[in-house]
Amino acid sequence: MKPLLLIITLLFLSACTQQAPTTGLYLLLDTSGTYTKELKKAQQIIHYYLAELNPGDSFAVGRIDSASFSEKDIIAKVTFDLRPSKANEQKRQFAQQIADFIDEVESSAYTDITGGMLMATEYLNEVGSAQKNILIFSDLQEDLPKGYSRDVNLSLNDFNVIALNVTKLRSDNQDPQQYMNRMSNWQNRIEDAGGQWRIINDLERQAALSLQQ
């Protein structure tokens, strides 16, 4: 084979085997108190993203419980194979793992949202996704066990953080300003850390769930 033709062939093969820039998605599920009753909605959201994500993309789901900064709180994780048939099989397995978890989940006493976010950023940085997304399915009321500290600086440059299904607490009905303050405090914390922030409460509008905004 002539040298020029050999170079062209090698470049072509390299282009075919290189993985395109991927999307990384980490979904945090609040499992504290009565919020576990909302998890069927989360399951529908997970099915939506399983359909939307492409071969090469990464997806993980972790729980928010009393102490969420732990690998044991990762319910399911996968980087989809570049072969579509293999990726589809991985998606079916992922959906089954989520279904099994929701069927057996027990409520936690506390809500360590910050610990879950630290796990999410660690995971997405490790897989090296070009687009990093953290979704938080929670009422966003953080409540830590005695002795736990989460006074840490989040690092969220190039991260999109989306709060989903932020339900109102009973105390929010009594004083709506509590809800507004909670949303504002989280927005400020995310944006101060360099991230992009938005809230989606109308889960029926699938267009709003799109990661391409």
Side-chain angles (χ1 to χ4, degrees), residues 137-150:
F137 189 84
S138 171
D139 58 23
L140 295 182
Q141 180 64 47
E142 185 158 65
D143 183 21
L144 299 174
K146 184 178 180 180
Y148 279 69
S149 173
R150 292 295 183 259

Side-chain angles (χ1 to χ4, degrees), residues 118-173:
L118 289 170
M119 281 301 303
T121 56
E122 185 176 273
Y123 172 82
L124 292 173
N125 284 331
E126 282 185 4
V127 299
S129 301
Q131 185 190 85
K132 302 178 178 70
N133 304 278
I134 299 175
L135 277 61
I136 311 172
F137 189 84
S138 171
D139 58 23
L140 295 182
Q141 180 64 47
E142 185 158 65
D143 183 21
L144 299 174
K146 184 178 180 180
Y148 279 69
S149 173
R150 292 295 183 259
D151 186 18
V152 296
N153 293 322
L154 297 170
S155 181
L156 296 170
N157 289 325
D158 301 321
F159 278 79
N160 298 311
V161 181
I162 306 171
L164 300 170
N165 197 55
V166 187
T167 56
K168 277 74 171 179
L169 305 173
R170 182 177 301 175
S171 58
D172 294 334
N173 288 328

Side-chain angles (χ1 to χ4, degrees), residues 5 43 86 95 162 175 210:
L5 182 58
Q43 189 174 19
K86 179 63 175 176
I162 306 171
D175 181 4
S210 173

Side-chain angles (χ1 to χ4, degrees), residues 30-31 34-36 74 79 114 118 122 139 142 160 181 190 195:
D30 191 336
T31 60
T34 60
Y35 201 81
T36 53
I74 299 177
T79 295
T114 302
L118 289 170
E122 185 176 273
D139 58 23
E142 185 158 65
N160 298 311
N181 290 343
I190 298 304

